Structure formats: C-alpha cells, structure tokens
Amino acid sequence: MKHVIALDVGGTGMKAALVAEDGTLLHEARRATGRKRGPDAVVESILEFASELRDLGAQRYGGSARAAGVAVPGIVDAENGIAVYAANLGWRDVPMRALLSERLGGIPVALGHDVRTGGLAEGRIGAGRGADRFLFVPLGTGIAGAIGIAGRIEAGAHGYAGEIGHIVVRPGGPACGCGQYGCLETLASASAVTRAWAAASGDPDADAADCAKAVESGDPRAQEVWLAAVGALADGLVTALTLLDPRTLIIGGGLAEAGETLFTPLRTAVEERVTFQRLPEIVPAALGDTAGCLGAGLLAWDLLATEVPA
C-alpha cells in the first residue's frame, strides 16, 4: 500500500504516523522528544523515529514510504528545509529536510511549521473542509494562527504570517516573551488562563481546565477570569477577521476542549464587536492532536504531486 511518513514534533513529545494517499492513518505512534538531553539528541530522536517508521511500513505494507513530512515548532524555513529556531527545543539552523532524507534513503521530505501544518489538515479534511478561506487558531501554551486560502496555508513573505498571538490587545498589559506588552497570548492562551485562575483561586496547581469546570459550576471568580480571557480573545479575533475576512474561524487547542463553555460566550463577544465586518462561522477544531500528523502527511503527498517524473 502506498504510504508516507508523517511526524509532528512538539516541545515535549512527538507524534508520528504512516499515512495513506486518502489521508487514512495506517499506523500511529508517540515518543518523548528527550529535550533535556539537548538539541542534538532531539534531532537524533526524530531521525531514529522516522527510520523505525520506514522499516515498519516496509514490513507491513510491502514497500517503502514514498515521502515524509515533518512539522516542527518555532521559526521554520520551509522552502529550504531548515528548522531555524525553536526555544523549547534549543535548536538553531537544523537542516531537517536534508538530514531526514539522508536517513530515509533519499526519499523526498517536506518540512512545515506545526501550527500551519495542523491548519492545513483542519482546512482540507477537518472543520474547515469546503471553506475557501479560513483561519485556524489553536489556544494552547501560546496562540498562533494558520491562514487558509483555497486549500493551502499562507506562510507570508518571511514565514511569519498568522502570528495572531502577538497582536497587542491590551496596551501596557502583561509582558510577552516577544518583547511587547499586552499581547493576545499573554491574556487568552491556556497558559494565561491557568496563571490567572491559579492566582484568583489561591490554588497554585489549578489550571485552565479547572477554571472551565468552576465556570460551569457558577463560581463568580472563575467567571471573571474566563470572561476577561474571552474578551481579549474576541478583540484579537475581530482584528484578524477585519484583515483576513475568513469564511470559517476554527478554534482549537486546550481551551477549545471546554466546548460551549468557551464557544457560547466567544461567539457572543465577537458578534458584539463587529460593525461592518461579515461574521464568520466560529467552530471547534475537528482533528484534535492528530491534526499535526495528518497535516505532515498532506505535505508529503503534496510534495509527491508536484514532483516532475524523471
């Protein structure tokens, strides 16, 4: 059976799959990145994982993988196949495409940014299926975005398109790692809600999921924290939809797991803020944490489709 190797590399763990031409996940596996051992060890773990998948695919499906796709966090030069920088993994200028291709016997390899790769999958086969324009926004440790246009993801001139988390929504607000103050991700990410609820509840171990449960039980402190985050998120999203005019707005990540506890007030808050703008459909992501792997598989199949036969 024809298949490709797909890898989704995160800050602490890796997800991998063998993906058929129709997008079916033929095999899935997970592994720690081992980032405490340093960036070189992380890269070697990725290469070993990919090599094991190649061997498994050959044994199980009667032939080697046709290509591989890998999604990584941080700054990515997809055109040249270089993982430029990832703070969580400590690497700089890793020639990921060349290293993987060499380890996998010379097969073609596609490299992508993790959020944009997940957005590609959500747009083609997930919650944005059929939408010609969409914006995918996962709310996790930080906040990023993937801009979908006619079945592809717009990376921008320098690969930085979609960084909605660094829209300043509260000037003079909390310091952000990017150097600004009051960025969206300092106020509306899962980690921001965790910090705010831990402080408000007096429980240092409380997190965003606990806050959502407390909201559902009617805790006024939790509702104050939650609505502050939702308000900041709505402000950032309205800025984004003013610029991009998406038909569908897909919200994923940890906060989206709260379901209608998030989506009901968020839809209301966005609707209250729009004036002339057309309100997009606001929907939860459909693929969960498999989006990155599925997207990496799509990148690999896309690469094969664009290759000119020898």
Side-chain angles (χ1 to χ4, degrees):
M1 180 180 289
K2 293 180 181 179
H3 64 277
V4 297
I5 295 167
L7 288 160
D8 178 20
V9 180
T12 58
M14 297 183 283
K15 295 180 282 291
L18 298 177
V19 184
E21 201 164 3
D22 63 359
T24 301
L25 292 176
L26 302 173
H27 172 78
E28 294 180 75
R30 294 172 186 252
R31 182 170 298 179
T33 57
R35 64 177 178 173
K36 292 181 180 178
R37 294 182 289 128
D40 291 342
V42 171
V43 172
E44 183 57 32
S45 294
I46 295 168
L47 299 178
E48 286 180 3
F49 203 9
S51 182
E52 290 174 17
L53 284 164
R54 177 198 58 191
D55 294 344
L56 185 146
Q59 293 166 9
R60 188 173 294 180
Y61 300 110
S64 295
R66 302 297 183 93
V70 57
V72 298
I75 300 171
V76 179
D77 180 352
E79 185 176 350
N80 293 303
I82 297 171
V84 178
Y85 175 68
N88 288 338
L89 297 172
W91 65 33
R92 287 185 181 273
D93 299 320
V94 177
M96 188 65 72
R97 183 171 66 198
L99 291 172
L100 265 174
S101 183
E102 181 181 4
R103 183 65 65 94
L104 296 174
I107 64 173
V109 173
L111 178 68
H113 179 272
D114 57 352
V115 172
R116 289 196 287 270
T117 302
L120 178 67
E122 283 289 352
R124 282 203 202 163
I125 59 177
R129 190 170 190 168
D132 56 345
R133 299 286 191 280
F134 69 88
L135 178 63
F136 170 58
V137 180
L139 309 173
T141 304
I143 296 177
I147 303 166
I149 303 172
R152 65 180 183 83
I153 302 296
E154 173 55 53
H158 307 97
Y160 297 169
E163 289 292 348
I164 184 178
H166 298 292
I167 291 175
V168 174
V169 293
R170 300 289 183 268
C176 181
C178 77
Q180 299 187 110
Y181 293 85
C183 286
L184 179 60
E185 73 173 39
T186 69
L187 296 151
S189 62
S191 55
V193 173
T194 291
R195 287 192 300 270
W197 178 234
S201 67
D203 180 359
D205 296 322
D207 62 13
D210 296 323
C211 185
K213 291 174 185 174
V215 169
E216 291 161 9
S217 68
D219 188 316
R221 298 169 304 167
Q223 290 172 343
E224 183 178 355
V225 167
W226 195 257
L227 291 177
V230 168
L233 179 57
D235 286 338
L237 291 176
V238 169
T239 297
L241 67 89
T242 302
L243 291 171
L244 301 172
D245 187 27
R247 196 173 306 279
T248 305
L249 183 53
I250 306 166
I251 308 295
L255 279 193
E257 293 175 9
E260 287 306 313
T261 301
L262 173 67
F263 284 92
T264 296
L266 179 60
R267 291 185 183 109
T268 299
V270 171
E271 188 170 4
E272 288 172 350
R273 285 161 171 76
V274 297
T275 53
F276 67 90
Q277 304 94 333
R278 293 292 296 272
L279 194 66
E281 184 180 13
I282 302 175
V283 299
L287 303 176
D289 69 355
T290 64
C293 257
L294 287 166
L298 290 172
L299 287 179
W301 284 114
D302 284 356
L303 186 61
L304 290 171
T306 58
E307 283 193 328
V308 178

